[in-house]
Amino acid sequence: MPRPSEGVWPGLATPPHVPARARIAESLFRRAVKELPVRVVFPGGERLGVGDDDSPVMRIVRPAAFFNRLGAGSKIGFGESYMAGDWTSTDLADLLTPFAARLSTLIPPTLQRIGRRFAEARQPSEESNTVDGSRENIHRHYDLSNELFTTFLDETMSYSSAWFAPGSDDLPDAQRRKIDGVLDMANVRSGQHVLEIGTGWGGLAIRAAQRGARVTTLTISAEQAKLAQERIAAAGVADQVQVLLRDYREAQGSYDAVVSVEMIEAVGMEYWPTFFAALDRLLKPGGSVGLQAITMPHDRMLAARSDYSWIHKYVFPGGLIPSVEAIEDNVAEHTGLRIAERRSLGPDYARTLAHWRETFMARWADVAGLGFDDTFRRMWEFYLAYSEAGFRVGYLDVFQFSLQPRPAHYSR
């Protein structure tokens, strides 16, 4: 396996040298995988796990580098070691699924406390979701390249969970069904003025305009704004849709409906009250909000709020996935709204991510032609497979919520 380029991936090409921590990491890893339905194979032929011939295989290519990376920072080192080629798998999502299913109990509490003594990674101060910090965080992911996202997303350019119709595996149709589901949650109708927080590449704004609404949509990604405007014009609704490079905290006006799809995950826990208060402030009396949000169990969210993980470092800096309880609390405490309806799409997100991963890998030559290297390929594959595994086992979920005015004497 070729190692990452030091010039492109500084600090990744050469694994850290932390022998004492590496020994602890190896002990924890061996204990963790001993009862998993996988096959972990070492260069000398040693095998761990209770998997059979049909179980996914994790092949350790460079054991010393692998355990040193785990020892230096387990939450980051596991993904980095895949990026660096220290281990491989023939089907990454299948391998990561049993790990995800046992994520909270994989390592006994006593050993977790020992491991935390060595967890030194903390969120860099510049990744805090201030107005300026949010722009930089979004830039690092969504401004990678519009062409990159075009290679693996479907024709709707939707970068969020689809909602598959029974018996169908058609991704574009499922994405359109998801968009209509969110718009229905917000009761979007002809003649309304709709605010969208988080433009993406314009798919929802186009659909709302096709319903006869006027749309103001906000994004802080310059690359997304550019392509969204092109797509909106091509759809023939440019006279109904205004794309603004603006943070939700800077939004002004009053709207019949507000919609936001999988944007809250980038807000940051300390700004959730501000986000929900903004929804309330921008909504006309009697209006509705359609919100789509990835969620995790509340206890895991509380544990994750102080973590700095591989996902933060390489994919979504500054993010935190909320729990349903956190959303309920923020709606109750910072708005005059209530959650009137909710719909879970968790299994649909696992299917959506499988589509993206398969397409990304199948079209890798096109991605490489844009200038991305093999380390980026392994990074993106790990991100998509890691996320898919989380939704497969229910460690992650995704909901569509309808937020509506709270009636008098309402009690949650």
Side-chain angles (χ1 to χ4, degrees), residues 152-171:
F152 70 91
L153 298 180
D154 68 281
E155 64 196 51
T156 70
M157 287 296 288
S158 296
Y159 191 36
S160 51
S161 179
W163 181 23
F164 291 90
S168 172
D169 196 46
D170 187 289
L171 181 59

Side-chain angles (χ1 to χ4, degrees), residues 33-314:
V33 302
K34 184 171 60 174
E35 301 300 326
L36 288 185
V38 300
R39 290 176 290 160
V40 179
V41 181
F42 288 83
E46 181 187 4
R47 296 189 174 207
L48 300 174
V50 294
D52 57 26
D53 289 344
D54 295 324
S55 300
V57 177
M58 177 181 183
R59 194 171 299 278
I60 310 293
V61 179
R62 295 188 281 261
F66 174 66
F67 290 122
N68 270 281
R69 291 188 203 274
L70 286 188
S74 59
K75 288 185 174 66
I76 295 176
F78 189 68
E80 285 188 334
S81 61
Y82 187 79
M83 292 170 62
D86 298 334
W87 64 274
T88 65
S89 179
T90 52
D91 194 317
L92 196 54
D94 285 347
L95 174 74
L96 293 176
T97 296
F99 282 90
R102 296 162 177 81
L103 200 57
S104 60
T105 59
L106 204 55
I107 299 174
T110 300
L111 294 181
Q112 288 187 44
R113 286 193 292 272
I114 293 172
R116 276 195 289 269
R117 290 178 56 195
F118 303 112
E120 299 175 352
R122 296 289 183 270
Q123 181 190 50
S125 58
E126 63 270 18
E127 291 183 8
S128 178
N129 284 296
T130 62
V131 173
D132 289 339
S134 291
R135 287 193 175 95
E136 178 58 26
N137 288 340
I138 292 299
H139 168 73
R140 284 172 53 185
H141 185 80
Y142 293 96
D143 289 350
L144 280 169
S145 161
N146 283 331
E147 291 78 10
L148 163 67
F149 290 98
T150 301
T151 60
F152 70 91
L153 298 180
D154 68 281
E155 64 196 51
T156 70
M157 287 296 288
S158 296
Y159 191 36
S160 51
S161 179
W163 181 23
F164 291 90
S168 172
D169 196 46
D170 187 289
L171 181 59
D173 282 352
Q175 290 290 10
R176 284 186 279 266
R177 187 172 187 238
K178 174 276 299 293
I179 291 170
D180 278 333
V182 173
L183 294 175
D184 288 344
M185 287 288 192
N187 295 317
V188 172
R189 302 182 302 278
S190 179
Q192 290 185 328
H193 189 186
V194 177
L195 175 67
E196 180 186 22
I197 300 177
T199 305
W201 287 276
L204 186 146
I206 290 169
R207 181 59 179 152
Q210 290 170 341
R211 286 188 173 200
R214 182 163 58 94
V215 184
T216 297
T217 179
L218 311 180
T219 180
I220 53 175
S221 166
E223 287 295 307
Q224 282 192 323
K226 180 176 180 295
L227 183 54
Q229 287 171 325
E230 293 173 2
R231 287 167 44 80
I232 289 163
V237 292
D239 59 332
Q240 294 170 255
V241 181
Q242 181 184 32
V243 180
L244 299 177
L245 272 171
R246 186 171 297 172
D247 189 280
Y248 70 92
R249 286 162 286 198
E250 302 168 325
Q252 300 296 324
S254 186
Y255 302 86
D256 300 296
V258 179
V259 290
S260 184
V261 175
E262 292 181 29
M263 181 271 181
I264 189 176
E265 303 84 358
V267 167
M269 187 175 189
E270 64 183 308
Y271 293 102
W272 288 343
T274 306
F275 175 78
F276 282 98
L279 299 183
D280 201 29
R281 170 176 62 83
L282 295 163
L283 193 65
K284 286 181 180 178
S288 300
V289 175
L291 176 71
Q292 182 164 314
I294 300 172
T295 66
M296 65 165 58
H298 192 66
D299 61 332
R300 297 307 305 160
M301 185 207 79
L302 294 176
R305 62 185 170 180
S306 59
D307 281 352
Y308 187 68
S309 66
W310 181 88
I311 285 284
H312 292 121
K313 183 174 180 179
Y314 289 98

